[in-house]
Each structure stands twice: as structure tokens, then as C-alpha cells.
Amino acid sequence: MIESEENGRDLASLLVSRTGRLVATGDRLEPYRLLDAGGVLVEPVAMFLRELLASGRSAATLRSYGMDLLRWWRFLHAVDVAWHRSTRLEARDFSCWIQLTVKQRRTSGGRGSALGANVVVGAPNPVTGKTAAGNGYAPATVAHSETVLRSFYDFHRDEGSGPILNPFPLDPSRRSRRAHAHRNPMDGWARERVGRYRPKVPQRVPRAIPDQRFNELFAALASNRDRALVAFWISSGVRASELLGVRQCDIDPGQQLITVVRKGTRAVQQVPASADAFVWLRLYQEELRGQIPRGRTQPVWWTLRRPRRPLNYHAAHRMFERANAALGSDWTLHDLRHSAAARMARDPQLTLSDVQLVMGHAHLSTTEIYLTPNKDEVIAEVLAHHARTAEQRYNPVPPPPAPGYDPQALSVLFGRTL
């Protein structure tokens, strides 16, 4: 139980000792393993992850769930409580701690640092206007952690291997009635809080890169590979990982199509891209001639340095960070997807359902978010409104004359300038 700031700092120092770790195994049947402080496999977590894998969850999902469980295991180790003995008291303290603590970050020495309890949000970037991330966990991360832990204890309760009462319960206001029992089918689905310790997550409007800023960013790219990547991201709207998984056989320049595997559904889908993207791709392929293995199933994207290796997400992210550093901006690879969706959503020749299909959204309401005007457009429209108001105040326009009167004669009569 966290009763003072000193106790909170002691708990943070215990968690920083990295008691336990999540290990990638490379095994398709068990991609990740959670090990305790002694290096022993945590069997309750392994059972839960195997259940997720059997239900069709991807390796990335298992890693995300594993990180949330790792934080919970470290917290339980710090307060000296077994996982099956935890109560709502530990769940409440953990929910308070994760919202107030400083996020652990790996320093140059390889050790994490998480001393302090004030979550400070950085100043907005002067180029993009995006607020810098604070030194604590984001509300979306805290909400995701609550959902994962509640699912974990629900699973073990059903299996008979965990406590009967879930330490992370549902909100009592949802227990008295069935959710959406009297919902009007003409209304949208209301977002309701389902967990007692689930924080409110602010709704964020996707931020697109303005065309002028994108031209500057594109000019800062250093190679034809990077230009081809960014051109595909900004024109097709696919996710960064989806494009990086494209093979040689997935490219169809004649139809201007690329075939990607969707991140969530794992569905194979053809997505159109711009002609410029295929031109940059062709220039990049000519540079690679004779330097990479041949074959239709070989990856399209490779590292620039030798020995050539398939390009992964972290290397692509670092490439984009270097282009951002030249401009002093902090755009992300996912902002390119937002920009592509915003461009397509504002085209009057494209319907919103067309954009939904290209973006791979499950619900049309997700695509509707991109109809929201960005901050720069709103500011320009409001300033134009103020200018029109001032013009009407100092130079009022006379009302039109009544039928039967000559406007020119009235202007001469009242001394107005023709």
C-alpha cells in the first residue's frame, strides 16, 4: 500500500531493479515468455498467452499483453504479494502508481530510471504543434493495462486457477443492467467505462502533415529507398509494418497496386498507390541490382549498409527521425497514414466508404474522424471571420433598395460614391 511519497519512491526503486523480464523466444507456438526474478517461467502468464495465441492473436499483441503483465508482476514483487493472493487493494494501489510514476527508460548504461512521481508534459513542438510526451505512462497505456489485467484474472477464474473475485472489477453502475439494453439503433454506440480503475482516455484527433511541411520533409530524405517508402506511406495509407512486410511478388506496377497483410485481421488486401511511389521504387531497385537475393518471395525493403538485411520497423523509424531532425519536427510514421486518410477524405470525388476500404477500418465511424478539420485550417477560417466582421463594422454595406427604386439614383441622393 502506497501511503507516502517516500514509499512511492522506494517502490519505484524496487521496480527499476527489473525483477523479471519478457523474453522473445522466436518460437511460433510461444513467441514470448515472462520470467520471474529467478529466471523461472511464470506459468500463469504462459497459460494466458497460449490462450491468446490459440484465439488468433498476433505476436505483437502477445508482446503488448506481456509487457502489461510484466509491470503487474514487478509491482507484486515489490509489495511482496503473490499473484493469486492479490486483492482490490493492490489493484487500486497499482492503478494509482501507474498513473503517477515516471516511466522507466533505458539509459546509456543499460539500466532504467524511474525516480520521481511528477508527470510533466513537454512544450509543443514549434513546427508540428504536437505536445511532447510526458515522462509518465499515457492514459491509453494505463487503460490498456487495466483491460489486460482484468482479462488475465477473468481467464484464471474461469479455469479455476485464480482468485474468485477479480482484483480489477467492472464498474458497479454497469452491473445493474445489461449494457446498451435500450439503445436506439439510429444512434451511435456510446463509449462507456467498463473498469472501476480504468482512466478516462481523451479522444485525439488524427494530425495530418500539411502539404508544404510534407514537401520539406520529403526533400530531407537521403536515399531513393527512403523516398519510395514515404511515397508509398503517404499515398496508400498502409501502416508502417504492413508496407515493410511487402515481398517482391506483392508489387504490381502495371496496376499501381501493392498487396499487404492487414495488421489486425491478417487479411490480404490490394491497395492502390501513386505513380510517383512506383517511380522511386524502380530507382531503388536498380540500385540494389545484384546486391540482394533474387526471388519473388524476397523482401522489397533492405538496409542501406552492408551486409544487406531486411529492413525492420525500428530502422525505418530511425530513418524518419533523422529527416525530422533536419526540420526540427516530430512527425511519426503513423502521421503519414493519417495524412493519407485526410487527403482522401477531403476529396469530393471519393466517398467515405471508399476511404474506409483503402484504410482497412472495421467501422465507418473510425474513418469519419478524418473529416474533422485540423488546427491550422480552423485558425485560418476564424481569422478570416474576424477580418470580415471588422470590414462590415467600419464599411457597412447598405441594404438593397425596395423594389421600384433605382439604386443609382439613391446613391446620388444620399451622396454615396458610385
Side-chain angles (χ1 to χ4, degrees):
M1 184 173 179
I2 305 175
E3 297 180 351
S4 65
E5 183 178 355
E6 292 184 359
N7 290 342
R9 291 178 182 272
D10 293 340
L11 177 61
S13 62
L14 285 173
L15 291 173
V16 124
S17 64
R18 296 191 175 274
T19 53
R21 54 199 175 99
L22 188 69
V23 183
T25 63
D27 187 358
R28 296 182 61 182
L29 297 179
E30 195 177 16
Y32 291 95
R33 284 182 152 194
L34 181 61
L35 307 179
D36 61 11
V40 180
L41 175 67
V42 181
E43 187 59 32
V45 175
M47 293 172 56
F48 181 61
L49 295 182
R50 282 195 291 267
E51 184 76 10
L52 293 175
L53 187 64
S55 61
R57 300 298 192 274
S58 64
T61 300
L62 266 62
R63 182 184 183 278
S64 176
Y65 278 46
M67 293 301 296
D68 292 328
L69 290 167
L70 174 62
R71 280 191 292 267
W72 173 241
W73 236 255
R74 288 175 174 173
F75 180 87
L76 292 177
H77 181 271
V79 299
D80 195 20
V81 176
W83 75 273
H84 59 283
R85 297 290 184 182
S86 60
T87 63
R88 294 180 182 177
L89 178 64
E90 285 78 28
R92 183 198 64 189
D93 290 345
F94 174 78
S95 301
C96 293
W97 169 82
I98 196 174
Q99 295 181 61
L100 298 176
T101 189
V102 174
K103 185 176 181 180
Q104 299 183 36
R105 300 182 186 277
R106 186 175 295 275
T107 60
S108 58
R111 301 182 62 182
S113 61
L115 304 178
N118 295 323
V119 179
V120 181
V121 178
N125 184 278
V127 177
T128 65
K130 298 170 62 175
T131 303
N135 52 11
Y137 290 99
T141 303
V142 178
H144 185 268
S145 176
E146 190 272 342
T147 302
V148 170
L149 295 177
R150 178 158 36 84
S151 303
F152 171 76
Y153 279 99
D154 281 344
F155 165 75
H156 282 284
R157 179 198 59 202
D158 297 340
E159 292 291 322
S161 54
I164 299 177
L165 293 179
N166 194 325
F168 296 86
L170 293 174
D171 194 331
S173 62
R174 294 286 302 276
R175 296 286 182 93
S176 59
R177 60 183 176 87
R178 183 166 58 89
H180 305 295
H182 304 286
R183 171 183 171 271
N184 186 348
M186 300 300 294
D187 297 336
W189 291 96
R191 294 187 177 182
E192 301 184 18
R193 297 176 63 189
V194 295
R196 175 180 294 182
Y197 305 122
R198 183 182 180 86
K200 293 183 178 179
V201 180
Q203 184 177 4
R204 297 177 297 176
V205 177
R207 187 181 295 270
I209 306 177
D211 293 342
Q212 179 60 32
R213 293 296 186 183
F214 174 76
N215 294 336
E216 298 173 357
L217 186 65
F218 193 82
L221 300 175
S223 67
N224 290 329
R225 183 206 64 181
D226 301 343
R227 299 183 188 102
L229 280 168
V230 174
F232 273 111
W233 278 321
I234 197 66
S235 62
S236 64
V238 298
R239 297 177 179 86
S241 58
E242 294 172 351
L243 182 62
L244 294 175
V246 170
R247 302 166 299 173
Q248 298 288 348
C249 60
D250 298 328
I251 302 293
D252 188 356
Q255 302 295 326
Q256 287 187 214
L257 297 174
I258 58 174
T259 303
V260 298
V261 179
R262 287 302 185 182
K263 177 183 177 182
T265 61
R266 312 306 298 171
V268 179
Q269 180 181 351
Q270 286 186 320
V271 182
S274 66
D276 292 343
F278 288 95
V279 171
W280 290 114
L281 176 61
R282 185 58 180 170
L283 294 174
Y284 167 59
Q285 288 176 333
E286 286 296 323
E287 295 176 352
L288 288 181
R289 184 180 296 274
Q291 302 181 24
I292 59 174
R294 301 184 61 180
R296 291 176 53 81
T297 60
Q298 292 295 330
V300 173
W301 312 106
W302 298 78
T303 58
L304 296 179
R305 297 181 180 179
R306 300 188 183 189
R308 303 280 187 178
R309 298 182 302 275
L311 185 69
N312 58 26
Y313 176 84
H314 298 288
H317 177 72
R318 188 69 188 95
M319 171 273 295
F320 204 64
E321 281 186 335
R322 289 193 293 268
N324 273 302
L327 303 178
S329 56
D330 59 351
W331 304 112
T332 64
L333 292 178
H334 206 68
D335 288 333
L336 295 173
R337 174 175 166 84
H338 293 325
S339 304
R343 289 182 178 185
M344 289 185 284
R346 293 170 188 170
D347 189 346
Q349 303 298 324
L350 285 177
T351 64
L352 203 60
S353 58
D354 295 336
V355 183
Q356 177 192 8
L357 179 62
V358 172
M359 299 300 295
H361 292 153
H363 304 286
L364 191 61
S365 58
T366 305
T367 315
E368 290 177 349
I369 300 177
Y370 294 99
L371 296 177
T372 306
N374 59 38
K375 182 193 68 174
D376 297 333
E377 294 177 347
V378 173
I379 291 177
E381 292 295 335
V382 173
L383 291 178
H385 161 73
H386 292 321
R388 290 192 302 268
T389 303
E391 181 68 20
Q392 294 174 4
R393 183 184 302 114
Y394 296 109
N395 297 304
V397 179
Y405 288 91
D406 185 6
Q408 187 175 4
L410 292 175
S411 300
V412 173
L413 177 62
F414 291 105
R416 297 175 185 154
T417 304
L418 295 178

